[in-house]
Amino acid sequence: MPPCRGAGAAIAMGRKTKAKGRAAGESARAAIAGRAASLKEFDAHFRKAYGERWLGLRSALAMPVEQVAWLNPFAAPAASVSADSWRTYVHADSGCTLIVRNEPTAPMPSPALVASCAATEQVATHYALDGASPLPAIALAPRPGHRVLDMCAAPGGKTLCLAGQMFHGVWNQPEGAEGTDAARQPTAAAARRLAHGDTLLFSNDCSGPRRARLSRVIDEYVPQLPRSAGAITVTGMDATSWGRGPGAPTWSQLGFDRILVDAPCSSERHFLHGAEGSMWSRARLKRDADLQSAIVRNAVRLLAVGGRLVYATCSLAEEENDGVVSKLLAHSQCGAGLALMSPFVELEGSAFAPLLEGV
């Protein structure tokens, strides 16, 4: 009998499968080799920058993230968080409250939905985030009556910290003639209120998926604000051009009292932990630093006279930190009139002082 066609097809398919397997294996080996080369370049760069300190810094980066929990001030006063083996820190000036684990293995308490201060809806009790993340938001020191811009806001932990400082307690204030209404108004409506000096928080991220997550976080933790209190508005603009262009509204020229730039960065921790999509190279350092400089220059353009800007990254690279700030201060236009402050001015001497160790 002649050979079965199906058998021939099976043999051909087997050959194709083997070819694909070889290609996948070669791709995996190339990826491993590429990461090894990148790690070698990575270590050489930071060893040169930090000398003998680098070994300790690298070990710290390789350790698991130390998390804290931001206690939601918008939860009803009776709400509590069960947190054995955790200690509580209260920042008196801002009212921000964090719980921090006493024991390295202490489990994070699970968030629960409870009644909000507004008494008309539920909010989550607490939000877990990297231990250093609340510090820039506290250093910004926003207050009721301020116009605040969080330029690179997703996933939303810092926005929550800002909102807590700005809007906590508004339900105890008398309502205006307009009564209560949803405060997460469209940008145009919030813009009109910005021109009148209301308490406003703009939370921005240009990535659609990240912005969607940001909106969900705000919805889950912040109840609808009384119209008399102000508004939280989520925007999706490029941080390098926020408020620019022919279509930019005139209110953007009024300036913000507080601006937080938690800039996108190379994040050595993510790279060392092998996070998906993470990579490191000197070329990336330069690209990140250029982007950060563009963002912070635009932020300065939006800053009101006497306002405060906090610049933060989760990178150890000088190119992305002091290098960006030095270039900003030396800039003939953007640097004029700026005064450099200690980022710990709101933190040292407070209950949060122990959290500064290692920062």
Side-chain angles (χ1 to χ4, degrees):
M1 292 179 61
C4 174
R5 290 185 180 179
I11 292 170
M13 186 176 293
R15 289 171 179 166
K16 288 180 181 179
T17 302
K18 288 182 179 179
K20 288 182 180 179
R22 285 196 297 270
E26 290 172 1
S27 177
R29 285 191 291 272
I32 292 171
R35 179 167 175 81
S38 187
L39 277 168
K40 184 177 180 180
E41 183 184 22
F42 172 85
D43 279 316
H45 178 87
F46 285 102
R47 191 179 299 111
K48 182 178 180 180
Y50 284 104
E52 294 181 356
R53 289 187 61 202
W54 175 235
L55 185 60
L57 290 170
R58 196 186 196 285
S59 297
L61 288 172
M63 293 176 66
V65 172
E66 286 288 341
Q67 284 195 319
V68 301
W70 171 81
L71 297 191
N72 191 353
F74 301 112
S80 62
V81 176
S82 177
D84 295 335
S85 302
W86 290 66
R87 59 191 180 278
T88 302
Y89 291 98
V90 180
H91 188 263
D93 290 344
S94 67
C96 180
T97 302
L98 303 177
I99 58 172
V100 182
R101 73 179 88 220
N102 265 328
E103 303 172 5
T105 58
M108 173 71 71
S110 298
L113 288 177
V114 299
S116 73
C117 291
T120 57
E121 55 192 304
Q122 290 187 314
V123 293
T125 51
H126 61 283
Y127 183 87
L129 66 174
D130 186 317
S133 290
L135 303 183
I138 303 301
L140 193 66
R143 296 292 183 263
H146 279 167
R147 302 186 296 264
V148 179
L149 172 60
D150 187 354
M151 291 194 82
C152 309
K158 294 181 181 66
T159 284
L160 293 182
C161 293
L162 297 174
Q165 295 174 79
M166 297 169 67
F167 298 109
H168 175 49
V170 297
W171 290 273
N172 298 324
Q173 300 172 2
E175 286 298 326
E178 296 176 288
T180 61
D181 199 352
R184 289 174 209 118
Q185 304 162 43
T187 302
R192 289 193 294 272
R193 304 189 65 188
L194 179 58
H196 291 88
D198 289 332
T199 302
L200 287 178
L201 172 57
F202 282 77
S203 189
N204 179 72
D205 203 282
C206 64
S207 164
R210 287 172 59 83
R211 188 166 61 256
R213 181 181 177 188
L214 171 63
S215 295
R216 288 195 301 271
V217 166
I218 295 173
D219 288 341
E220 186 176 353
Y221 285 86
V222 184
Q224 297 292 340
L225 300 170
R227 180 177 287 275
S228 60
I232 301 174
T233 300
V234 175
T235 61
M237 303 181 191
D238 182 343
T240 64
S241 57
W242 203 102
R244 288 179 179 266
T250 55
W251 53 259
S252 65
Q253 304 303 318
L254 294 174
F256 287 88
D257 303 293
R258 298 287 189 268
I259 299 179
L260 176 60
V261 178
D262 182 25
C265 68
S266 58
S267 184
E268 297 83 19
R269 179 187 290 276
H270 287 164
F271 172 68
L272 281 177
H273 283 252
E276 184 177 354
S278 64
M279 52 85 73
W280 190 93
S281 68
R282 289 188 175 92
R284 174 169 179 174
L285 280 188
K286 185 180 186 309
R287 288 197 304 272
D288 284 343
D290 289 344
L291 174 61
Q292 293 154 356
S293 290
I295 292 173
V296 78
R297 284 198 300 268
N298 190 47
V300 167
R301 188 184 67 81
L302 296 166
L303 191 64
V305 174
R308 177 182 296 188
L309 185 154
V310 169
Y311 174 74
T313 76
C314 52
S315 170
L316 288 178
E318 182 170 346
E319 294 89 337
E320 300 183 52
N321 292 292
D322 297 75
V324 170
V325 175
S326 296
K327 289 178 181 177
L328 174 67
L329 295 176
H331 194 280
S332 59
Q333 293 180 327
C334 295
L338 292 182
L340 192 64
M341 300 172 63
S342 165
F344 302 137
V345 66
E346 302 292 337
L347 301 166
E348 289 176 332
S350 73
F352 278 16
L355 304 181
L356 300 181
E357 183 179 350
V359 174

